[in-house]
Amino acid sequence: MKKKILINAKYTEEKRVAIVQGDQLVDFYVEVSAKEHLRGNIYKGKVARIEPGLQAAFVDFGPKKQGFLQMREVTEECFQKKAEGRRPRIQDVLTKGQELIVQVEKDERDTKGASLTTYISIPGRYIVMMPGQQRVGISRKIEDREDRERLKEIFSSLKLPKDMGFILRTAGSDKTSDDLSNDLKYLTKLWSKIQAEAKKVLAPALIYKEQDIAVRTVRDYLTDDVVEVLIDDPTAYKNTKQFLTKTLPWRKINIKDYKDRKPIFLKHNIEEQIARLNERHVYLPSKGYLVIDKTEALTAIDVNSGRSRKEENVEATALKTNLEAAEEVARQFRLRDIGGLIVIDFIDMESSKNRRAVETTLKNALSLDKAHTEISGISKFGMVEMTRERMRTAYFESINRKCESCNGAGIVMTDEMAAITAFREMHTRAAKGGINSITCNLTVESMNYLINMKRDEIDQIEKEDKVSIRLRADT
């Protein structure tokens, strides 16, 4: 089925991209101005601190939070001293104050600064250029042997710059020598500009800013099955057209400046689907459902049959629900950008053939994902463990902040326990002595419980500990 790319870049506070297939949202991401997107940017930075215990360095590259550079992300070209005959240690090869060209690999998250690398990579439409590296590779997602051999021949015929590594992207699997040559010229010119900028500026400084959300989208997601690209912001539309003129001058692309009064996402009936991305429950066609819960360590997804009872037996119901769940979890990974360790608890099935069918369905669904994934088989407990590369700040994290009352736990203390806890704290402080008065603030409900159930005990504390206790209900 053909796809459409919808780019909602009209408002500076929030820019959104949706990829739809028919009426279904198949990929979605958002950037908010309050959380600056740094991934892909290249900086001239300065080593601020070296931590031998972590085998990492903190690098001042411009933003308030220093970037985190691990030893494995430092190229030999950055070594101040060559480590001969042993494994290099960061304290031996880098020095405080040393200037480095670094690229943001992961945006800052929570209290952590951005993750940096000195292995620079610059993506084009079909090729990723890696300055300073020697390897030439082909995307693992291009699995056809004949395609891989043909592309290797094309690559070997191109005039590749020295001391450059390259990876052919999935989008280049069916392209000609001219297509790839044109992309190569674009990337070579871009790298020359970055090098020239690096020589001019003093660290810390930005020397290359990743493309805006509209240009990144057509660069990374404009495949042959995309029939239309709609952009509702004139500036984003102009920038995208200019990029395509540089990189794909020969290709006719149906890209339009959307000017309708009706909002672009509303016109395509996807606002409701986006709103549901905040919900824990995701419902399946057979009336089964997923429950998605995120913890600090991992994301847990539970598959439930719900009211699905159409099949002739329990095993058939489990298989049908699990097959639907396998397709849907892969879609939810893309929509919510769920990354890190993931555990999926499928409904138990006795048949090994059925378990293999669910595994195959899940792997096929994940093959559509640009993020790198690694997956285990279904265990005897019906569990699948897997990891998924985090591509960007997840939608949930982009638009929400932690609740001050529960600190993100999603639960608060009951009114009775809040009152008892406050009473216990007042008793403890009064018994310690050294204070003349205590003021207690509680919600109206908790204060009613405290006054009705603990009034006599509070009076006793005031008399015995010679302290004045003031009770105040927050309205």
Side-chain angles (χ1 to χ4, degrees):
M1 192 182 290
K2 298 296 184 181
K3 296 177 184 175
K4 282 185 180 181
I5 294 177
L6 312 176
I7 301 175
N8 173 213
K10 196 171 186 177
Y11 307 109
T12 56
E13 297 86 0
E14 180 189 57
K15 297 185 178 183
R16 305 182 296 171
V17 171
I19 300 175
V20 293
Q21 199 165 26
D23 293 328
Q24 188 181 50
L25 185 65
V26 295
D27 213 335
F28 174 74
Y29 54 100
V30 61
E31 280 185 10
V32 293
S33 57
K35 294 186 178 180
E36 190 180 2
H37 177 89
L38 302 179
R39 188 182 182 197
N41 289 0
I42 301 174
Y43 296 84
K44 190 174 187 178
K46 188 180 289 187
V47 177
R49 193 167 83 249
I50 294 173
E51 294 288 349
L54 299 174
Q55 278 302 289
F58 288 90
V59 179
D60 179 10
F61 67 109
K64 287 183 181 178
K65 286 183 183 174
Q66 292 175 349
F68 186 69
L69 178 66
Q70 296 184 74
M71 178 62 211
R72 67 170 179 264
E73 297 297 336
V74 182
T75 64
E76 284 192 24
E77 286 73 19
C78 298
F79 289 5
Q80 293 280 64
K81 299 177 185 175
K82 298 297 178 185
E84 296 178 5
R86 58 185 172 83
R87 191 174 178 179
R89 300 181 304 170
I90 199 159
Q91 63 267 34
D92 298 329
V93 298
L94 295 186
T95 57
K96 184 178 179 181
Q98 180 181 345
E99 292 187 346
L100 299 171
I101 303 299
V102 294
Q103 186 170 32
V104 177
E105 199 170 38
K106 292 180 185 175
D107 282 319
E108 61 180 56
R109 192 162 171 258
D110 299 327
T111 58
K112 297 175 182 176
S115 296
L116 306 178
T117 181
T118 61
Y119 289 95
I120 308 299
S121 62
I122 308 168
R125 273 288 295 133
Y126 308 127
I127 299 171
V128 177
M129 175 184 273
M130 301 176 294
Q133 300 184 51
Q134 302 298 325
R135 69 189 181 99
V136 175
I138 296 172
S139 169
R140 284 176 288 190
K141 291 186 180 289
I142 302 174
E143 296 178 344
D144 186 85
R145 191 171 181 178
E146 289 184 7
D147 278 347
R148 293 183 72 87
E149 291 300 322
R150 180 180 60 82
L151 292 167
K152 283 179 183 176
E153 286 181 19
I154 291 175
F155 249 137
S156 61
S157 69
L158 296 176
K159 293 181 180 179
L160 301 177
K162 289 183 179 180
D163 298 322
M164 287 283 182
F166 297 93
I167 293 177
L168 184 72
R169 307 182 76 180
T170 311
S173 61
D174 58 350
K175 300 308 171 189
T176 65
S177 176
D178 288 341
D179 296 333
L180 300 181
S181 179
N182 194 70
D183 208 31
L184 180 61
K185 287 175 186 175
Y186 166 75
L187 290 171
T188 305
K189 285 181 182 176
L190 182 56
W191 177 240
S192 295
K193 286 182 182 178
I194 292 169
Q195 286 181 306
E197 186 66 20
K199 289 176 182 176
K200 289 192 296 184
V201 299
L202 296 174
L206 173 69
I207 55 177
Y208 167 73
K209 186 172 177 60
E210 173 64 304
Q211 305 281 8
D212 65 34
I213 192 169
V215 173
R216 286 204 313 274
T217 300
V218 296
R219 183 191 70 195
D220 297 340
Y221 291 91
L222 185 61
T223 49
D224 291 337
D225 58 351
V226 174
V227 295
E228 189 175 39
V229 180
L230 299 177
I231 306 175
D232 67 0
D233 176 64
T235 303
Y237 172 75
K238 181 183 174 184
N239 290 342
T240 305
K241 285 283 283 184
Q242 287 176 346
F243 173 78
L244 291 173
T245 301
K246 286 180 185 176
T247 57
L248 301 169
W250 62 89
R251 183 176 166 187
K252 288 185 178 180
I253 297 164
N254 188 15
I255 179 169
K256 295 177 182 176
D257 184 7
Y258 181 83
K259 294 179 178 178
D260 201 312
R261 270 190 55 78
K262 187 179 280 191
I264 188 169
F265 282 9
L266 181 63
K267 176 110 181 211
H268 291 81
N269 300 313
I270 57 173
E271 286 289 9
E272 285 186 16
Q273 294 182 60
I274 293 169
R276 289 199 291 270
L277 296 181
N278 270 323
E279 297 177 4
R280 285 180 69 220
H281 292 80
V282 178
Y283 292 93
L284 304 171
S286 65
K287 296 185 179 178
Y289 61 93
L290 312 176
V291 182
I292 302 174
D293 286 311
K294 180 168 172 49
T295 69
E296 190 72 24
L298 55 82
T299 299
I301 301 177
D302 188 32
V303 182
N304 295 277
S305 59
R307 292 178 291 160
S308 177
R309 298 290 184 272
K310 289 183 181 178
E311 305 308 311
E312 58 189 24
N313 56 50
V314 173
E315 181 79 3
T317 298
L319 174 62
K320 183 174 182 182
T321 306
N322 284 341
L323 289 173
E324 290 178 354
E327 294 272 4
E328 186 59 34
V329 293
R331 176 172 167 262
Q332 292 297 322
F333 293 159
R334 298 192 303 270
L335 297 179
R336 301 179 186 226
D337 198 40
I338 296 172
L341 181 61
I342 302 162
V343 176
I344 308 168
D345 183 10
F346 285 105
I347 301 168
D348 289 341
M349 296 177 294
E350 292 183 6
S351 166
S352 59
K353 179 182 176 183
N354 290 344
R355 288 197 293 271
R356 285 196 300 272
V358 172
E359 287 174 16
T360 301
T361 300
L362 179 59
K363 287 175 182 176
N364 289 341
L366 290 172
S367 69
L368 303 174
D369 199 340
K370 286 189 174 292
H372 176 64
T373 56
E374 290 187 22
I375 178 171
S376 71
I378 297 179
S379 72
K380 65 179 181 179
F381 303 112
M383 303 275 195
V384 167
E385 296 175 8
M386 61 172 289
T387 60
R388 180 179 182 272
E389 175 191 10
R390 186 174 281 106
M391 298 291 286
R392 51 191 173 263
T393 304
Y395 175 63
F396 186 82
E397 294 173 9
S398 295
I399 66 168
N400 295 299
R401 60 182 174 84
K402 281 186 178 179
C403 165
E404 287 83 358
S405 299
C406 70
N407 199 29
I411 53 175
V412 292
M413 201 177 285
T414 63
D415 297 330
E416 292 84 354
M417 284 310 301
I420 294 300
T421 302
F423 171 75
R424 191 184 302 115
E425 181 68 16
M426 287 189 292
H427 192 181
T428 299
R429 293 193 180 196
K432 284 181 178 179
I435 55 174
N436 297 319
S437 64
I438 296 172
T439 300
C440 174
N441 295 307
L442 287 172
T443 63
V444 172
E445 294 79 9
S446 294
M447 187 57 73
N448 285 339
Y449 183 90
L450 186 66
I451 290 171
N452 291 329
M453 305 302 293
K454 296 294 179 182
R455 182 74 262 182
D456 291 344
E457 286 96 327
I458 291 172
D459 289 341
Q460 188 176 352
I461 290 171
E462 286 185 306
K463 287 176 184 176
E464 291 181 357
D465 296 308
K466 295 181 176 55
V467 63
S468 171
I469 297 177
R470 183 185 177 196
L471 305 177
R472 189 162 61 190
D474 294 331
T475 56

